Amino acid sequence: MLNSMLGQYRRTIILVVVFLLIAILEVLEVRTTIYGNSLPFFEWMKNSSWLGIIGTTYGSVYATIEAVHLLSMAVIGGTVLATDLRLLGVVLTDIPSETLTRGTHKVFRNALICAIATGIFCAAGVADKVYYMPVFWVKMLALVAGGCFVFLVKQPLLNSMPHSEINPWTIRLLATTSILVWFTVAAAGRWIGFS
Amino acid sequence: MSNEKKWGDLEIAAVGSAVIIMGSLLFYWVLEIESMLELLELAYGSAKLFNNPLVY
C-alpha cells in the first residue's frame, strides 16, 4: 500500500523532500557558510584560472563571448515567449501546442547549454566583483530553479499527454511561472551589467 | 461516481513547484519595487510612502 503510493506520487514526494531540505539548510545557515567559504574560489577564477586570465587580458575575446552569451539569452527568451504565450493562447494559435512545445524545447535546451558555457567565462572575468553582488546570486538561484522547473516538471508534464487533457489553469500557471522565472534571469543578468 | 479527473503525480508536482517559484519571485520583485520607491522618496523628498525621514 505504502510502496504503491510512494511509486504513484514519486515526483510530488521528491518535491516536498527537496523544499523541506532547502528550508532545513536555510535554518542551519548552510547557505551563509558556503557563501563565506566560496570567496577563495571566486578569487582563483579571476586571477589564476585560464578563463579569468583570458577574460581580463583580451577584451576582444571577452566581448565576443559575451555577445554569444547575449545571443543565447535572446534565443532562450524567444523560445520561452513563443512556447508560453502559445500555451496561454496569445500567439501562434494555429499551430498545435504539442508540436510547438516539442520543437522549441530542443532549441531552448541547446541555447541554455550555450548560455551557461559562455556565462561561466563571462563570470570568471569579473568573478571578484560578482561575488559581492546580491543580484548575481539571485540570477543563479533563478537559473537553477528555472532549469529544474523546465526539465523536471514542466516539459515532462507537457509531453506526458495531449494538452487538452491537462487542466487549463495548470497550463496557464506553468506558462506564467516560466515567463516570470526567465524574465528574472534576464533582468538580473542586465542588472549585473549596470551594478 | 464523480466525473472529475483525478490529479496525477506530474500535475501535483507541477502546480506545487509553480506556486512556490512564482510566489518567491513575486515576493522578491515586490520588495525590489518597495526599496526603489524608498530611494525615490529619499531622492526627491516630497512624499512619505514608506520611510522618508525628510517628510514629517
Side-chain angles (χ1 to χ4, degrees), chain B:
Chain B
M1 204 173 115
S2 171
N3 285 332
E4 277 186 31
K5 194 174 150 279
K6 202 177 159 191
W7 277 40
D9 178 34
L10 269 173
E11 223 163 344
I12 298 172
V15 171
S17 55
V19 166
I20 292 169
I21 292 172
M22 191 192 238
S24 313
L25 289 175
L26 286 176
F27 181 68
Y28 170 74
W29 283 113
V30 167
L31 284 186
E32 285 298 332
I33 291 168
E34 196 219 308
S35 80
M36 183 191 75
L37 287 175
E38 280 193 66
L39 283 174
L40 285 173
E41 279 180 338
L42 288 173
Y44 295 103
S46 58
K48 188 177 177 69
L49 294 173
F50 293 101
N51 184 31
N52 189 350
L54 301 173
V55 176
Y56 295 100

Side-chain angles (χ1 to χ4, degrees), chain A residues 36-127:
Chain A
N37 292 335
S38 62
L39 180 59
F41 171 73
F42 277 76
E43 286 174 340
W44 170 81
M45 280 277 279
K46 164 86 186 292
N47 301 316
S48 305
S49 75
W50 60 271
L51 287 176
I53 292 168
I54 292 173
T56 48
T57 312
Y58 305 103
S60 57
V61 176
Y62 190 88
T64 307
I65 292 179
E66 190 167 24
V68 177
H69 182 67
L70 290 176
L71 284 172
S72 309
M73 291 296 289
V75 174
I76 290 172
T79 52
V80 165
L81 284 178
T83 310
D84 294 331
L85 291 178
R86 171 65 189 88
L87 290 173
L88 290 170
V90 178
V91 296
L92 304 166
T93 45
D94 53 333
I95 303 172
S97 59
E98 289 89 351
T99 313
L100 192 81
T101 48
R102 283 210 174 89
T104 53
H105 184 65
K106 289 173 193 154
V107 181
F108 170 85
R109 188 188 55 209
N110 294 335
L112 187 65
I113 291 168
C114 190
I116 291 172
T118 51
I120 291 169
F121 177 85
C122 292
V126 286

Side-chain angles (χ1 to χ4, degrees), chain A residues 8-12 15 19 153 156-157 160 165-167 170 174 176-177 180-181 184 191, chain B residues 5-7 9-22 25-26 28-29 32:
Chain A
Q8 203 179 348
Y9 292 102
R10 195 169 53 90
R11 274 177 206 262
T12 309
L15 181 75
F19 279 108
V153 175
L157 176 66
S160 66
E165 287 180 18
I166 305 172
N167 186 322
T170 303
L174 289 182
T176 315
T177 306
L180 187 61
V181 77
T184 304
W191 197 341
Chain B
K5 194 174 150 279
K6 202 177 159 191
W7 277 40
D9 178 34
L10 269 173
E11 223 163 344
I12 298 172
V15 171
S17 55
V19 166
I20 292 169
I21 292 172
M22 191 192 238
L25 289 175
L26 286 176
Y28 170 74
W29 283 113
E32 285 298 332

